[in-house]
Amino acid sequence: MSHRKSRSIIRALILSLAMTLPSAYAASEMPAASHGIAMHGDLKYPPDFTHFDYSNPEAPKGGDVRLSGFGTFDSFNPFIIKGTEASGIGMIYDSLTEKSQDEPFSEYGRLAKAIYLPEDRSWIEFELQDNARFSDGEPVQADDVIYTFKLLREQGAPFYRAYYAGISDIKALSPTRVRFEFGETDNKELPLIVGEVPILPKHYWENRDFTKPSLDIPIGSGPYVVESFDAGRSVTYKRNPDYWGQDLPVNHGRFNFDRITYDYYRDTTVALEAFKAGEYDFRQEYTSKDWATGYTGAPFDDGRIIKKSVHNENPAGMQAFIMNTRRPMFSNTRVREALAYAFDFEWTNQNLFYSAYTRSNSFFSNSEMAATALPTPEELEILEPIRDQVPPQVFTEVYKAPSTNGDGQIRGQLRTALRLLKEAGWELDNGVLKNKQGDTFDFEILLVQKGFERVVAPMIRNLERMGITARIRIVDVSQYINRLRQFDFDMIVSGFGQSNSPGNEQREYWHSSTADQVGSRNYIGIKNPAIDYLVEQIIQAPDREQLVLRCRALDRVLQWNHYVIPQYHLSAYRIAYWDKFAMPERSPLYDLGFDTWWIKP
């Protein structure tokens, strides 16, 4: 008998004994088993549902698909801050639950066949599927769930420690039943987000160094396995023919391709030309110029490539020029407000983007959570405790980013900016902006995509007219990721994505506790007690109405602190694909749903 098998038998005996011990809840007090959980309100899908409405359970399996990756990769471990993960690696994993993409925030069982959640949400239990298996045939058990959370919180990216800090204990009640207990009983989304974590095999990782990037092919329990790879250049995933979960309701009609290959390109122009030449099959476009002018030629004319925009109802969040307030020149609110006048969105949109975009004014753009009117009495109740800690405009004005008529003449904008800079202690001296100590105002804008130069360059020219020197620095993907993790930048072009149900991730974006945490998404370096208060209010929101109100309150405070220079958003996916695909008649509301497509027979 193998050592591993002996340990498994002993562990099962111990856990079976534990099941006979008194439970914290008597049987009469135990909540009923459920097939899913909703953040607010009721679940859309009943216990006997067979598939999501946006999937086709009759979709045929088969065919190979080629996709593109950008830059390079050197790791199959996406859970640590070191290394650059391979595209698509998440497909090899399963989680306890699966999110529905046509509800604001509901989760249904995947590895879990039953979910037990009390009304106060102080704990949650998951009963695992009896037939759940890792790709090497080993069963997925409660021990693997416990080990996953211990590993991620102790050795994974700092994000995991912060995001799941509210878990006070995790214990196995049987080999297939695991219980999470929560110290943060006001965090209503915590039971849902623990279900989203990919479950890792203890027997694979317990004798490996989890903290180092590696191209050793990992084991998961998901629908795909890594079949082959060429380090940094391509990776191929094969649909696991023995995938245990292929008949689950949450999976019916999904994961239909036999193979998915990601080929890597270091230049976006080369990547587009490769797509048009048939080197890969599907492309999502993020550059308006390419979308307007690059998708032409014979394959488009004769219908071999299909190009279309697909509307979505996703919150757009905030894409922006992000200032690192850890840098002295960006620590003053007046300075940050002034710099926004150098970005002429209207001219940029007309001359560079073919008028494709909408200006972003909110950190929750394209959603009901955006603050687009003066605070209501209900919202004022939320803001009143921090009235003395936030800019007065939060209560009296609706934020709008500086705007122009689009003709490129922004002398009035620049006068306003220079007045604000003077108030902050900066003045022009022979055409050069200096402070009282004689320091000049100069900084670097860090980019990873060369195509963004054309967006940044006009703003740099406007900054020059204000006596400011700004330089563009373009680096490769690996260097860019490492510099962001260390907050080693002055300004970047990036964004803060939002879901339909904001929660714990707001700490990662804005909370003081993450400002100095290497690898966090608090790129701005915010340390603001008022914002900390509002973040916690969002996490503790008792219902959907309060969640929306509290997000609007946070939005206002972020807006009027001028942490970013807002850019733009688009409420559609711009996609193009070779005419080899079919897809369900109904698309999900909050996702493109590519994993529900299939190859035409």
Side-chain angles (χ1 to χ4, degrees):
M1 182 181 294
S2 71
H3 179 58
R4 180 188 298 169
K5 191 171 183 181
S6 298
R7 285 185 304 169
S8 298
I9 292 173
I10 293 170
R11 180 178 63 198
L13 288 172
I14 293 172
L15 290 172
S16 296
L17 178 62
M19 290 178 65
T20 67
L21 299 176
S23 170
Y25 272 68
S28 61
E29 297 175 316
M30 278 294 291
S34 176
H35 66 297
I37 336 167
M39 181 64 188
H40 300 296
D42 298 324
L43 293 166
K44 172 182 177 179
Y45 294 97
D48 60 350
F49 86 103
T50 58
H51 62 93
F52 289 132
D53 288 347
Y54 51 83
S55 68
N56 174 13
E58 304 302 322
K61 307 290 186 184
D64 295 352
V65 172
R66 300 191 79 89
L67 304 174
S68 65
F70 180 69
T72 186
F73 70 93
D74 60 9
S75 178
F76 288 132
N77 185 348
F79 307 107
I80 58 176
I81 63 172
K82 296 179 181 178
T84 304
E85 67 185 78
S87 297
I89 192 63
M91 296 188 298
I92 76 168
Y93 295 107
D94 272 326
S95 51
L96 291 166
T97 58
E98 177 70 23
K99 185 176 182 180
S100 164
Q101 296 296 345
D102 53 0
E103 298 172 80
F105 192 11
S106 293
E107 299 277 345
Y108 296 86
R110 187 161 168 172
L111 278 170
K113 69 176 181 182
I115 302 167
Y116 301 85
L117 181 67
E119 189 173 343
D120 65 2
R121 299 197 176 196
S122 59
W123 55 269
I124 189 169
E125 291 179 13
F126 298 95
E127 180 73 34
L128 301 180
Q129 304 277 0
D130 299 326
N131 62 332
R133 295 289 185 274
F134 290 107
S135 58
D136 61 355
E138 290 286 317
V140 182
Q141 297 198 310
D143 260 8
D144 297 300
V145 178
I146 295 170
Y147 181 79
T148 295
F149 279 84
K150 176 180 173 64
L151 189 64
L152 293 178
R153 292 203 291 176
E154 293 180 0
Q155 301 182 44
F159 159 82
Y160 294 104
R161 282 191 289 280
Y163 202 54
Y164 298 103
I167 300 172
S168 59
D169 192 23
I170 314 174
K171 53 190 174 186
L173 304 181
S174 81
T176 57
R177 187 156 173 158
V178 62
R179 177 174 178 139
F180 293 79
E181 295 183 349
F182 305 126
E184 292 187 27
T185 55
D186 290 332
N187 187 341
K188 301 304 181 185
E189 79 163 3
L190 200 49
L192 284 85
I193 63 176
V194 298
E196 296 179 324
V197 174
I199 300 304
L200 309 177
K202 179 179 179 181
H203 66 273
Y204 176 83
W205 283 109
E206 60 185 345
N207 295 316
R208 296 173 183 268
D209 188 347
F210 188 72
T211 64
K212 293 183 178 179
S214 172
L215 287 173
D216 292 344
I217 294 178
I219 290 171
S221 64
Y224 287 87
V225 295
V226 178
E227 182 179 53
S228 61
F229 67 94
D230 182 356
R233 302 183 58 158
S234 71
V235 56
T236 297
Y237 301 92
K238 178 179 71 173
R239 187 167 59 84
N240 184 357
D242 301 319
Y243 176 44
W244 70 273
Q246 59 186 352
D247 294 325
L248 294 174
V250 295
N251 290 338
H252 266 161
R254 301 172 63 210
F255 315 122
N256 301 313
F257 309 129
D258 279 348
R259 281 180 180 78
I260 300 175
T261 297
Y262 288 86
D263 292 321
Y264 276 74
Y265 299 86
R266 295 178 183 269
D267 183 276
T268 54
T269 301
V270 173
L272 175 56
E273 294 305 313
F275 169 71
K276 291 156 67 173
E279 295 297 319
Y280 60 97
D281 304 313
F282 169 89
R283 179 177 171 88
Q284 189 169 346
E285 185 55 66
Y286 300 97
T287 303
S288 57
K289 180 183 178 182
D290 288 342
W291 186 247
T293 64
Y295 288 74
T296 58
F300 298 92
D301 296 338
D302 59 26
R304 283 178 293 154
I305 296 181
I306 296 171
K307 170 191 173 185
K308 63 181 179 180
S309 294
V310 180
H311 177 76
N312 66 59
E313 298 188 21
N314 289 324
M318 172 65 81
Q319 179 177 302
F321 295 97
I322 296 171
M323 292 168 273
N324 185 354
T325 62
R326 303 170 187 86
R327 301 288 200 256
M329 81 275 286
F330 297 134
S331 63
N332 187 290
T333 306
R334 285 283 182 265
V335 169
R336 300 194 298 267
E337 181 181 0
L339 296 184
Y341 286 91
F343 178 53
D344 188 346
F345 165 75
E346 286 73 19
W347 182 92
T348 302
N349 196 33
Q350 293 173 28
N351 290 274
L352 301 183
F353 298 152
Y354 298 83
S355 299
Y357 292 116
T358 300
R359 185 70 189 271
S360 296
N361 290 297
S362 167
F363 288 80
F364 299 91
S365 296
N366 199 42
S367 81
E368 63 178 335
M369 295 168 284
T372 57
L374 288 172
T376 62
E378 294 80 8
E379 196 181 329
L380 287 173
E381 288 184 21
I382 299 165
L383 289 164
E384 193 59 42
I386 54 172
R387 179 180 284 273
D388 295 336
Q389 302 175 52
V390 302
Q393 297 95 325
V394 165
F395 297 90
T396 59
E397 297 181 47
V398 176
Y399 175 83
K400 293 288 184 183
S403 61
T404 70
N405 61 15
D407 64 2
Q409 303 301 315
I410 63 166
R411 285 189 294 272
Q413 300 268 105
L414 299 183
R415 282 194 297 270
T416 301
L418 287 169
R419 175 180 56 78
L420 290 166
L421 288 165
K422 185 174 183 179
E423 292 174 8
W426 295 85
E427 291 198 64
L428 280 175
D429 180 3
N430 292 322
V432 178
L433 196 68
K434 295 181 180 180
N435 62 15
K436 294 177 181 178
Q437 291 74 41
D439 301 321
T440 59
F441 199 122
D442 59 87
F443 64 93
E444 179 181 275
I445 303 174
L446 184 69
L447 300 177
V448 68
Q449 288 184 302
K450 186 175 176 60
F452 248 102
E453 276 187 298
R454 70 194 192 101
V455 180
V456 177
M459 188 176 83
I460 287 179
R461 289 194 292 271
N462 291 334
L463 290 169
E464 287 175 350
R465 297 169 64 185
M466 295 159 56
I468 297 172
T469 300
R471 303 171 304 281
I472 294 174
R473 171 70 65 86
I474 300 175
V475 297
D476 62 33
V477 173
S478 297
Q479 186 179 351
Y480 183 78
I481 291 172
N482 287 331
R483 289 187 63 172
L484 259 60
R485 286 170 177 165
Q486 301 294 329
F487 310 122
D488 181 19
F489 62 87
D490 299 330
M491 180 184 284
I492 56 173
V493 175
S494 189
F496 301 97
Q498 295 291 355
S499 72
N500 281 283
S501 185
N504 267 24
E505 73 288 341
Q506 304 305 304
R507 285 184 183 143
E508 182 79 0
Y509 290 161
W510 329 115
H511 201 279
S512 299
S513 62
T514 61
D516 298 323
Q517 186 181 86
V518 173
S520 85
R521 291 289 304 278
N522 191 342
Y523 298 141
I524 298 168
I526 297 174
K527 290 184 179 181
N528 186 319
I531 289 174
D532 293 347
Y533 163 80
L534 290 171
V535 166
E536 297 305 321
Q537 288 292 302
I538 288 171
I539 292 171
Q540 297 170 19
D543 51 46
R544 179 72 187 178
E545 180 183 4
Q546 276 295 310
L547 178 68
V548 170
L549 290 171
R550 295 175 187 194
C551 285
R552 289 177 186 168
L554 174 63
D555 196 21
R556 295 179 201 282
V557 177
L558 291 170
Q559 289 169 333
W560 287 108
N561 273 285
H562 303 285
Y563 289 122
V564 303
I565 302 172
Q567 291 186 342
Y568 39 81
H569 66 272
L570 182 72
S571 57
Y573 303 111
R574 295 182 294 206
I575 60 173
Y577 53 91
W578 284 81
D579 189 18
K580 60 186 288 185
F581 297 104
M583 61 209 69
E585 293 182 4
R586 180 182 296 186
S587 297
L589 292 176
Y590 307 121
D591 191 75
L592 180 60
F594 187 69
D595 64 6
T596 67
W597 294 17
W598 63 92
I599 302 293
K600 292 179 182 178

